[in-house]
Amino acid sequence: MPQRIPLRRRRRTKVVATLGPASSTPEMIERLFRAGADVFRLNFSHGSHEGHAANIATIRALEKKVGRPIGILADVQGPKLRVGKFGGGRVQLQTGQSFRLDLSPVPGDSRRVQLPHPEIIAAAGIGTTLLLDDGKLRLRVARKREDHLETEVVVGGPLSDRKGVNVPDVVLPIPALTEKDRADLDFVLPLGIEYIGLSFVQRPEDVAEAKAIADGRAWIMVKMEKPQAVENLDAILSLTDCVMVARGDLGVECPAEDVPLIQKRIVRAARSRGLPVVVATQMLESMISAPAPTRAEASDVATAVFDGADAVMLSAESAAGQYPFEAVNMMDRILSRVEGDEGWRRLTDAARPDPLATTAGAIATAARQVAATIGAQAIATFTSTGSTTLRVARERPSSPILALTPEENTARRLAVVWGAHALTSATPHSMTEMVGRATRAASTEGFANRGDEIVVTAGVPFGQAGTTNALRVATVGDKAQDKKG
């Protein structure tokens, strides 16, 4: 049989690309995939249900064309807090002046404006900081009444209609999912997506609520963008399926000098638990309007790779920028170049978390060690839910990970996982059949040639989730192993 080598990434770190006006045609979506996009993000803060449904249909058609699973992230908007409108559409706030935020819908002026969120007024206290327009303006609460806040302008500037409000100091008694979010999820979950991007999480309860709605139909990807979420990091990570370091709003509500440290802390904590972690926002920001990134942006992407992120994300660069293809291509080039450096491998090995003290964790550690010792061309993981592959990916092995699963949705979910090349494959019923399927897949997918060795991991009995307990070394082309399956 002639060997079929399908489209295969030569890097481990994955790329998430946001779709938008600049990238929603079938032709551009295919170009972005071939340039390096592994997961496509649908931003439900923008666009229509019809537009998102069309993109999903395009992605699924592309899957069939290229023979590769593609992940889809439905990123819901979350509770967007905004001021009301002004009589002239815009005012100038002077540093040191008083400014009232109240519940009155009357258009505002330079002395007051509506804050249509009574929960903010209720939760704020004397000294509470409010940030307006992505943190460009800063107010401090001087006095509080039942229906308004009197504030002092700490940092002034222009303020126009419907600008955003951030309250970094307090936990607001509002759910992470709004009515709009619920309607969006009711619409998109039946269409088949892999991840729900959960915005503005503050508490573990927010994650539990989203998981109940998803009901196993998609992984929950918590977006870490509130200081309260960082404070509850361990409890949130214990519930979520994957995590995103959403540095945009995180950088508004936290001091800029803290963001790099918070990023490293989140990545480290997620890696320790074996959760996929995505680093996002402003990674190649200048490529919205320029065909090449700044050197600082290239270094920022490299830092995420050195930190051990599973994936990096493009937002406006691919959604609304002038150079969506070039942005994805550049991201692919940076990732590949970093992973080709000897220093990356040394740092990756040095940062490896301690083995999980379970049978499954021990098998994953052993698979990595055996593969490194014998120079295995791949580690093949048989998995129904993705858990076996996640455990091996946690080890950051030097060998590629060939993930074999009978579940199409699992193969798609693994698109965001470091180093995983996922395929759908029927559940084996014996060790001989398992090894035969793994060696043939390693050959046909271009990982190994006849005579090469691979490491195979699975759970026995087969098809039972969460039972990674078997490890085998197999030789590609061994007829004794290939005669079954």
Side-chain angles (χ1 to χ4, degrees), residues 323-378:
Y323 302 96
F325 171 81
E326 290 80 0
V328 173
N329 179 256
M330 177 57 68
M331 188 72 88
D332 179 81
R333 287 163 55 191
I334 296 170
L335 302 182
S336 299
R337 179 66 185 87
V338 172
E339 292 181 8
D341 182 71
E342 291 182 2
W344 167 77
R345 186 72 256 176
R346 287 196 300 270
L347 285 174
T348 298
D349 291 342
R352 183 175 294 114
D354 292 335
L356 295 172
T358 62
T359 298
I363 292 291
T365 300
R368 187 257 306 164
Q369 292 172 333
V370 170
T373 300
I374 67 175
Q377 296 302 302

Side-chain angles (χ1 to χ4, degrees), residues 380-384 388 402 404 425-426 428 433-435 437-438 456-459:
T381 62
F382 281 84
T383 183
S384 57
T388 298
L402 180 59
L404 304 173
S425 177
E433 185 179 353
M434 177 187 78
V435 170
R437 290 187 185 279
V456 186
T457 66

Side-chain angles (χ1 to χ4, degrees), residues 27 96 413 449 463:
E27 296 76 17
R413 290 175 185 180
N449 298 314

Side-chain angles (χ1 to χ4, degrees), residues 91-373:
V91 298
Q92 182 76 26
L93 300 188
Q94 303 296 329
T95 298
Q97 76 165 79
S98 296
F99 190 70
R100 174 181 290 197
L101 300 168
D102 59 40
L103 299 175
S104 171
V106 175
D109 53 30
S110 62
R111 311 306 300 179
R112 61 153 296 277
V113 74
Q114 181 190 21
L115 181 64
H117 304 287
E119 58 271 20
I120 295 180
I121 295 175
I126 306 302
T128 294
T129 295
L130 293 94
L131 306 173
L132 309 182
D133 192 9
D134 289 335
K136 296 183 182 70
L137 290 83
R138 181 181 295 264
L139 312 180
R140 182 187 297 117
V141 175
R143 292 184 299 279
K144 174 181 176 178
R145 298 292 183 268
E146 188 173 311
D147 61 348
H148 71 269
L149 299 173
E150 291 287 353
T151 73
E152 176 190 358
V153 179
V154 178
V155 178
L159 182 63
S160 54
D161 293 347
R162 303 288 297 156
K163 288 299 182 182
V165 180
N166 293 81
V167 191
D169 295 349
V170 296
V171 176
L172 297 175
I174 54 177
L177 289 169
T178 65
E179 290 304 312
K180 176 187 183 306
D181 298 332
R182 292 173 180 276
D184 289 340
L185 291 178
D186 286 344
F187 165 76
V188 79
L189 279 168
L191 299 181
I193 57 164
E194 284 59 66
Y195 330 97
I196 296 169
L198 190 61
S199 300
F200 301 109
V201 169
Q202 298 184 97
R203 307 159 301 161
E205 293 82 355
D206 297 331
V207 187
E209 180 183 8
K211 293 200 80 166
I213 292 172
D215 193 24
R217 291 176 289 176
W219 279 353
I220 302 302
M221 182 180 291
V222 164
K223 296 168 65 179
M224 301 296 293
E225 51 194 341
K226 300 278 291 181
Q228 293 80 13
V230 177
E231 292 169 6
N232 290 315
L233 180 61
D234 289 340
I236 287 172
L237 293 187
S238 70
L239 293 176
T240 193
D241 301 299
C242 36
V243 61
M244 179 190 296
V245 188
R247 303 178 305 175
D249 278 276
L250 190 63
V252 171
E253 299 209 8
C254 298
E257 64 271 22
D258 288 350
V259 174
L261 301 177
I262 293 172
Q263 173 178 316
K264 289 180 181 293
R265 177 186 169 191
I266 295 170
V267 172
R268 188 165 54 245
R271 278 207 54 200
S272 179
R273 290 178 175 271
L275 298 176
V277 55
V278 181
V279 175
T281 319
Q282 298 176 334
M283 303 216 76
L284 298 177
E285 184 85 352
S286 66
M287 290 194 74
I288 295 172
S289 57
T294 67
R295 306 305 178 262
E297 289 167 341
S299 294
D300 180 41
V301 173
T303 295
V305 180
F306 279 114
D307 286 347
D310 288 75
V312 290
M313 193 177 95
L314 295 167
S315 300
E317 302 97 325
S318 60
Q322 298 176 34
Y323 302 96
F325 171 81
E326 290 80 0
V328 173
N329 179 256
M330 177 57 68
M331 188 72 88
D332 179 81
R333 287 163 55 191
I334 296 170
L335 302 182
S336 299
R337 179 66 185 87
V338 172
E339 292 181 8
D341 182 71
E342 291 182 2
W344 167 77
R345 186 72 256 176
R346 287 196 300 270
L347 285 174
T348 298
D349 291 342
R352 183 175 294 114
D354 292 335
L356 295 172
T358 62
T359 298
I363 292 291
T365 300
R368 187 257 306 164
Q369 292 172 333
V370 170
T373 300

Side-chain angles (χ1 to χ4, degrees), residues 68-91:
R68 297 293 306 126
I70 302 173
I72 299 176
L73 165 61
D75 194 339
V76 296
Q77 178 174 288
K80 297 294 285 186
L81 308 175
R82 302 181 185 277
V83 298
K85 294 185 176 182
F86 294 92
R90 180 185 181 93
V91 298

